[in-house]
Amino acid sequence: MKSIKGYIERKTMLYKTGVEYGDYTMNHIQGCAHGCKYPCYAFIMKKRFGQIKSYEEWIEPYLVSNTIELLDAEIPRLKNKIASVHLCFSTDPFMYQYPEIAKMSTSAIKKLNSAGIKCTVLTKGILPVELSTFSRDNEYGITLITLSEDFRKRIEPGSAPLDQRLAALKELHDAGCKTWVSIEPYPTPNILEQRLDELLEEVSFVDRIVFGRMNYSTEVTAYKRHKQFFNECAAAVEQFCFDHGISCHIKEGTIRE
Ligand code: SF4
């Protein structure tokens, strides 16, 4: 197990997102030890605005010590406006091997649920089974872009091993929770040769699948058929979801004419 680097304080916690799925969100950690190399959009933005100086600094997480106090102050004011709160968009609420972070995240979810607010969760860590005792409106998700541990170690070096990540999600599903998977950012075959149908079979128990392409980089566009490839993948995901009665969301910009 690992320890956080330290604590910081923030002035606000809940805010409305501008993204296509998600209503309100909270980010109660600065930095992320998963250190994804897609690259991570949150890291790029924090670096651009001078809040983080380097990748090395980004992968040393700080916890927001006044998270629960801020929720106590903000929930009464916002609860009639909030449909759901997503944890998290610019960090990971169940960072692998950081029990202090998991404890704060479960406390925050409990607090939001007790005010009647549903939470959606997305992680590349391990979802704790105690979440199965929380509100049945909550939705628990993992990111899974591959079944290859070698590729996972290369591109998401600090994240949880894939089999453990999947097993925790399945356990919550088996306990009656709503589950989902984010297959994003999906790589082109020149980055990783893999079978999308095998990946989909592994997550066929979930209630919802979100699929999105890897952002255009020289590596992605070096694959000449990238547009056609992503169109075909999106069609395969839609068909799979239709056949299995799974809700499906293809991220904007994944399908191109
Ligand atoms: S898990 Fe999410 S927030 Fe953390 S480094 Fe990866 S992409 Fe960034």
Side-chain angles (χ1 to χ4, degrees):
M1 287 296 157
K2 297 172 186 164
S3 286
I4 54 164
K5 182 81 172 167
Y7 291 95
I8 54 168
E9 284 210 355
R10 290 229 171 108
K11 292 198 169 64
T12 56
M13 185 52 61
L14 296 168
Y15 68 93
K16 192 143 177 65
T17 70
V19 303
E20 50 188 294
Y21 66 96
D23 178 35
Y24 275 72
T25 188
M26 59 177 279
N27 297 297
H28 53 297
I29 309 138
Q30 177 172 292
C32 182
H34 291 162
C36 301
K37 304 201 171 162
Y38 307 136
C40 167
Y41 181 73
F43 165 58
I44 290 175
M45 295 314 282
K46 297 271 177 195
K47 199 159 167 244
R48 184 172 299 166
F49 291 107
Q51 289 153 303
I52 295 280
K53 287 184 195 65
S54 64
Y55 177 82
E56 290 65 34
E57 193 182 328
W58 172 251
I59 59 173
E60 297 272 17
Y62 286 80
L63 199 46
V64 177
S65 61
N66 58 335
T67 298
I68 301 300
E69 290 84 338
L70 288 171
L71 289 178
D72 279 334
E74 293 173 13
I75 287 172
R77 185 163 44 84
L78 293 171
K79 75 174 180 187
N80 293 332
K81 294 184 189 161
I82 298 177
S84 65
V85 172
H86 181 74
L87 292 82
C88 301
F89 275 116
S90 65
T91 184
D92 194 301
F94 292 103
M95 221 171 280
Y96 184 51
Q97 292 185 318
Y98 281 88
E100 294 153 297
I101 291 174
K103 192 162 169 247
M104 184 73 93
S105 299
T106 47
S107 298
I109 296 168
K110 200 177 273 179
K111 172 98 17 205
L112 289 159
N113 284 171
S114 68
I117 299 170
K118 158 188 166 172
C119 294
T120 64
V121 175
L122 182 63
T123 186
K124 294 184 186 83
I126 309 234
L127 290 159
V129 71
E130 84 172 278
L131 292 172
S132 65
T133 62
F134 291 22
S135 167
R136 284 300 152 114
D137 291 334
N138 293 344
E139 297 176 18
Y140 304 117
I142 60 166
T143 299
L144 196 78
I145 62 164
T146 182
L147 297 175
S148 161
E149 258 303 284
D150 285 345
F151 186 64
R152 195 275 303 164
K153 284 181 190 156
R154 183 149 60 88
I155 201 142
E156 305 167 351
S159 67
L162 301 169
D163 55 349
Q164 293 179 39
R165 207 186 296 181
L166 252 173
L169 187 72
K170 182 76 166 48
E171 200 170 347
L172 288 176
H173 164 79
D174 291 345
C177 301
K178 288 184 197 139
T179 56
W180 61 292
V181 66
S182 169
I183 307 177
E184 189 199 18
Y186 196 73
T188 42
N190 58 323
I191 296 171
L192 178 71
E193 193 73 57
Q194 64 175 350
R195 296 264 308 264
L196 178 59
D197 57 340
E198 289 176 357
L199 181 57
L200 291 169
E201 277 304 328
E202 282 295 324
V203 297
S204 60
F205 62 87
V206 299
D207 301 287
R208 182 160 56 103
I209 293 178
V210 175
F211 180 82
R213 65 170 166 82
M214 196 166 262
N215 274 334
Y216 289 166
S217 61
T218 45
E219 223 182 340
V220 169
T221 52
Y223 186 70
K224 293 288 172 237
R225 288 181 66 255
H226 63 273
K227 283 185 190 160
Q228 194 181 343
F229 173 74
F230 288 129
N231 287 349
E232 287 164 4
C233 289
V237 172
E238 283 177 328
Q239 186 63 51
F240 182 87
C241 289
F242 180 78
D243 292 345
H244 292 76
I246 298 170
S247 155
C248 181
H249 180 95
I250 306 295
K251 292 288 290 286
E252 276 171 17
T254 298
I255 299 173
R256 287 285 160 94
E257 294 305 318

